[in-house]
Amino acid sequence: MELESLVRTAYRTAISDKADQVEVFGIVSRTMSVYVEDSAIKNMEQKVDQGIAVRVAKERRLAQSSTSCDSVKDAEACARAACRLAELSPADKNFRRFPDGGEATFAPRVWDEKIASLTSEDLADLVKSVVDCSVEKNGTKVPKGMIRTARAETRIVNSNGVDVSHANTMAYLHFTAMTIGERPGEGVEVFYTPHLSDVDPFAIGKSLKAQAKASAQAVPFRGRRAGETLLTPGNLSEMILSSVGFAIDGENVHRRRSAWAGKVGQQVASPSITIVDDPGDERGMLSSGFDDEGVPTAKRTIVEKGVLKGYIYDSYCASLAGVEGSGNGLRRSAEDAQGIYRRALGIQPINLILVPGKKSRESLISSVEDGVLIERFAYPEVNPFTGAFGLEVRCGHLIRNGEMVQTFNRALLVGNMFEALMNVNEVANDMTVVRSSILPTVSFDGIELVGSS
Amino acid sequence: MEDILLSAVDRMQKEGAEFCDARYQTLGNATIRVVDRSVRALTQEKMGGVCFRARIAGSWGYSTTVLLDRRSLIEACLLATKNARLGGSKGAKLPELPSVNRRLRADVNIHPVDVPIEEKLRHVEDLDAALKVEDRVVNTNAIYNEEVRTNLLMNSFGSSVKWEEVRVRLMAYAIASEAGRQEAYYEFVDGTKGFELVKGTDIGAMGGSCGQEAVKMLSAKKPPSGYMTCISDPQITGFLAHEVMGHACEADEIVKKRSFLTGAVGRQVASELITMIDDGTVKDAYGSIPFDDEGTPSSRTVIIENGVYKGYLQSLETAAEMGVRPTGNGRAQDFGRRVWVRMTNTYFGPGDWTLEEMIEDVDSGILSDKGISGMEDPVGGGFEAKALRGFIIEKGKITDMVRSFTVTGSALQILKTTDAVGKSVSLDGGNCGKGIEDIVPVSSGGPHCRSKLVVGGG
């Protein structure tokens, strides 16, 4: 059964069940994944997924039902379930209406025919290339790795005139390399792109080998220090998304959960920091002319030269705050196309871009007299409410007089992301796509590093 | 569906699969989220699909689909065998195991699908209202989630297993704010139980306590940083059990020698006070399963006994590679995800100390209180966990409350230096990813434990 028929069936069913307003989100996807273990292909997977999410309003009573969808019967049952739930829900005084239709002002090229038509044999060849470039006889192996490619077609219609389609492709790679020997070191490389031609097996392999070898030489960090700290894009992305991403979410602002509530027009970062959300950037995994409510998206400045300019919204929270929606109501994911219809609609940046400076990462390092560069944390999360973090460093480098002189581990990097953003020394230009962000290495001042004695 | 799955298994064998299985799964979820005394989400999810797996010479081919007509399913099972041929892994042949033929309903008193939405909604609204204990509580959130999962699995051993899993979770969190500072506190209950879990919870007390603790945290001080004595609470102890020791004893990491616990069986790896277990059969625990996603009955595995390493967690494949019995730990997030070795309920066993005795002995240190998250490190054996808050210990007494902090150290070093283990063990449910995906329900826990750790918080 075609997605279009399922979406239309669900829509008609909800209307005939006396829903005042209806929105149907549908997606069909084909995913291929290859998993590597011990430098050989272990699993090859192909997945077919199709589903819908139906949101209805009955006299301001709201509900959602979603289902994987194979037949008209599934679509009808899903729409009826949403209507039945809405009848049981209390009226929501904050709800006005689902968004009105609008024209997209751009259509970023995020469909790559090479990914769309990829065969499992093609993907196996690509995986073998990455492994070959990462393995060194008696030096490094690939204990695990994964490439996932997907193509997805999305359809959104609502009773207020939204009637949009979107198609995208994605490739997501996550590989580790490990040195062979008594005290193994490990490197991790994660790569995101909508375009297959961006995947460079040689560059991935080179980085993995270098990381693993450096990590094997790491010594536990002793003592404590506070000073210049360089955070690379792979780490900084999650730290920015979990702090800034949370703070600019219009619902968190409205409910006073955001540390940046009421701070529009105020200095929230150093003047070297400018952050925009750009849904038109073709490097971005979530780029699109529409969000997942069918609202046209637009490039927005979030922070300009350190000054907070505004927040992001879906249609419900825009109504709650009494402002225009910004087209940031999303279900989509940067890593996966499966089960997207099951996800609740939430406010997210589409491509949070930290505008680059002029120096390369190497040039930034060469200008550091006494500092550290953090290559890998256990997991770089930040307390979204307070900005506080204490992150275990799994691989870092001491920098002296512009040179990386020693690799270390077993340390905690302790600080506060909102304070750190006010203490930025410099921003590099090594722009890297990580999840829903594109950002470079940034040098911060005053973050504490604590060792084990 | 049974007929089609059986045909598919037969077909995959004819296509050359040395082992294969076919699993049809349905997932039904309901979520109610009430925020600031208003229903923010009332949702129902249904998902159903089939996963075919075929193994040829050490490599797996998977094919999954939500299209359930006979033709789509047969095409999908053929893809599984084709995909298996594209792999390059070598591996031991899976030994023929006795077939399992079982049908199991979830062992719950009140099946959540039998409870009217209105009743569920009323409990969640009551919980949200109870959180608002005073004006400094600026945001209240009450969330109910239920999941009903049905599985039908047939494999080339001749097994035919059908079972149901039910999980219920009720969670509250409150944000308190004063003078531009925000703090959050949470409480939750969960388990492989029915709606009796919610009915048996004192909603008013749960919400009221959560709101009050959020307010108390507004006066919490900045945590200290450095290497110090730390008494970990059952949640942080559980993170150590799960994240470092647990992930590192998943046998797929052992087979490829990625784990720091490779070759550890028979070695003294911890203080004699330490015993560690993974047990998928703990009644009502969030990570309990009657069968894993390969149809192997779940079991209790002793990982460390009195400090000595005993054994690993196994799937069908890793058990074949290591020449041992599978332990029922081959799990998948859902039919659309691969099966690999995963934990169930993982915890440290009890000692004989009371918490008061542990505190009395400490001249200077910290006591953690509730976890936020932890992260695995099977290669390096590093431990990292984030505590929601803690208390300073000075000269054998609890003094100031401190806000969120991180504890870290080498897991084996921590376990070797653990000098006091509490009497009382508790388990808390959660969702575990391997890397950053493939999420499965688990629980972890243990008693209070006293050891030396690096502590730091921003």
Side-chain angles (χ1 to χ4, degrees), chain A residues 1 35-38 40-51 62-70 74 77 81 84-86 88-94 119-121 124 128 141 143-146 148 172 174 176 178 184-186 192 224 251 254-259 261 314 316-317 320 335-336 338-339 341-345 347 376-379 381-383 385-386 388-394 410-412 414-416 435 448 450-453, chain B residues 27 29 33 35-36 38-40 42-49 55 58-69 79-80 82-84 86-91 117-118 121 125 135 138-141 147 173 175 177 182-184 222 225-227 252-253 255-259 317 321 333-340 372-384 386 403-404 406-411 434-438 454-458:
Chain A
M1 177 64 65
Y35 291 89
V36 172
E37 290 193 2
D38 257 347
I41 291 176
K42 183 72 180 172
N43 290 3
M44 166 71 78
E45 306 177 354
Q46 292 190 57
K47 307 167 186 184
V48 174
D49 192 21
Q50 178 168 264
L62 283 170
Q64 173 178 302
S65 176
S66 63
T67 186
S68 53
C69 211
D70 180 30
D74 292 337
R84 194 175 63 249
L85 279 180
L88 299 171
S89 180
D92 184 341
K93 63 180 188 306
N94 298 312
T119 65
S120 47
E121 289 84 356
K128 284 172 191 162
K141 64 174 187 171
K144 61 182 203 172
M146 184 266 284
R148 177 180 300 139
Y172 167 56
H174 191 139
T176 63
M178 191 170 133
E186 190 169 51
Y192 297 80
R224 61 175 65 209
E251 179 159 21
H254 179 79
R255 299 194 189 280
R256 297 168 65 190
R257 297 188 289 230
S258 162
D314 64 0
Y316 177 90
C317 293
L320 200 63
E335 285 101 4
D336 211 343
Q338 269 190 293
Y341 48 90
R342 297 183 73 200
R343 293 170 166 240
L345 190 89
I347 300 172
R376 187 157 50 91
F377 290 116
Y379 191 70
E381 68 183 334
V382 172
N383 182 320
F385 305 105
T386 65
F389 60 80
L391 305 173
E392 187 205 340
V393 179
R394 298 240 165 118
R410 300 256 192 272
L412 268 184
V414 177
N416 182 293
R435 298 179 58 206
E448 191 182 14
V450 181
S452 59
S453 64
Chain B
L27 294 111
N29 287 68
R33 188 153 58 94
V35 180
D36 295 337
S38 177
V39 177
R40 183 69 178 90
L42 185 55
T43 64
Q44 175 185 301
E45 297 167 24
K46 285 193 179 300
M47 192 161 81
R55 189 171 189 266
S59 292
W60 292 95
Y62 277 67
S63 176
T64 74
T65 183
V66 300
L67 307 179
L68 302 180
D69 60 282
L79 263 182
K82 180 192 163 202
N83 286 338
L86 288 170
S89 290
K90 305 279 180 266
I117 291 282
E118 298 93 314
L121 189 55
E125 287 178 319
D135 287 347
V138 295
N139 173 234
T140 58
N141 303 266
E147 181 179 87
Y173 78 90
I175 313 295
S177 178
Q182 274 94 7
E183 292 291 346
K222 185 177 179 188
S225 294
Y227 186 59
D252 54 331
E253 303 288 15
V255 167
K256 59 191 177 214
K257 297 184 173 59
R258 184 173 177 261
S259 166
E317 179 174 68
E321 297 288 350
Q333 175 177 315
D334 54 47
F335 64 86
R337 298 280 184 173
R338 68 167 162 165
V339 173
W340 52 351
I372 297 176
S373 64
M375 197 64 195
E376 84 261 32
D377 182 14
V379 175
F383 171 54
E384 186 210 60
K386 291 180 176 62
R403 57 184 188 246
S404 174
T406 304
V407 293
T408 184
S410 155
K434 193 152 169 164
I436 56 166
E437 35 183 54
D438 291 300
V454 178
V455 172

Side-chain angles (χ1 to χ4, degrees), chain A residues 224-283:
Chain A
R224 61 175 65 209
R225 67 176 294 284
E228 190 163 2
T229 303
L230 275 60
L231 297 178
T232 53
N235 299 305
L236 191 58
S237 166
E238 182 60 32
M239 296 175 78
I240 292 282
L241 287 170
S242 57
S243 55
V244 173
F246 187 89
I248 62 174
D249 176 322
E251 179 159 21
N252 294 330
V253 171
H254 179 79
R255 299 194 189 280
R256 297 168 65 190
R257 297 188 289 230
S258 162
W260 284 0
K263 291 195 173 174
V264 170
Q266 294 182 25
Q267 197 81 30
V268 293
S270 297
S272 55
I273 295 292
T274 292
I275 299 172
V276 298
D277 187 32
D278 186 357
D281 194 309
E282 295 183 350
R283 295 170 295 177

